[in-house]
């Protein structure tokens, strides 16, 4: 849970700017690793809100161009699953 005054970057998982910057300062500059460690882009918005901001933060802190930072891989289900199964309204058959 974030403290008062912290700047939330990922609203779905309440990840703060300070948490992201701390990882970058420790040498973690790969967006895939940041995603795994902080769960950015894994909430309901699937990164539509936070990933562009995280890319900007990495670019600013490392001196890279945002174009040099690739989006993390997306992983879709191996086979299509009806949305009702995911929310528990129906059985998968």
């Amino acid at each position: 849970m974030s403290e008062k005054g912290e700047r939330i970057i990922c609203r779905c998982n309440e990840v703060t700017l300070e948490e992201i910057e701390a990882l970058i300062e420790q040498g973690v500059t790969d967006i895939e690793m940041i995603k795994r460690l902080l769960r950015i882009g894994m909430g309901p918005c699937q990164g539509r809100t936070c990933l562009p901001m995280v890319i900007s933060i990495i670019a600013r802190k490392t001196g890279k161009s945002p174009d040099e930072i690739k989006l993390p891989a997306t992983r879709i289900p191996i086979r299509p699953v009806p949305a009702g199964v995911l929310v528990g309204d129906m059985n998968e058959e």
Side-chain angles (χ1 to χ4, degrees), residues 3 5 8 10 14-15 24 26-28 31 34 42-43 52 65 70-71 73 78-79 82 86-87 91-92:
E3 294 179 24
I8 302 288
C10 174
E14 295 186 349
V15 178
I24 295 169
Q26 293 170 23
V28 181
I31 196 164
I34 293 172
M42 294 185 182
S65 162
K70 296 182 179 170
L71 286 171
I78 294 173
R79 60 189 171 102
L86 298 174
V87 296
N91 291 325
E92 184 177 5

Side-chain angles (χ1 to χ4, degrees), residues 3-58:
E3 294 179 24
K4 188 175 181 177
E6 290 183 327
R7 292 165 284 184
I8 302 288
I9 299 299
C10 174
R11 293 181 294 188
C12 299
N13 291 313
E14 295 186 349
V15 178
T16 65
L17 172 64
E18 293 77 13
E19 290 173 301
I20 296 165
E21 287 181 337
L23 279 181
I24 295 169
E25 289 166 9
Q26 293 170 23
V28 181
T29 59
D30 177 60
I31 196 164
E32 284 283 351
M33 187 57 69
I34 293 172
K35 178 180 176 180
R36 288 185 186 113
L37 293 170
L38 297 178
R39 301 195 46 80
I40 58 162
M42 294 185 182
C45 86
Q46 292 294 290
R48 286 185 297 275
T49 303
C50 63
L51 288 178
M53 289 189 284
V54 173
I55 288 171
S56 295
I57 295 163
I58 295 170

Side-chain angles (χ1 to χ4, degrees), residues 67-82:
D67 294 332
E68 294 177 68
I69 303 165
K70 296 182 179 170
L71 286 171
T74 56
R75 291 166 181 83
I76 57 173
I78 294 173
R79 60 189 171 102
V81 177

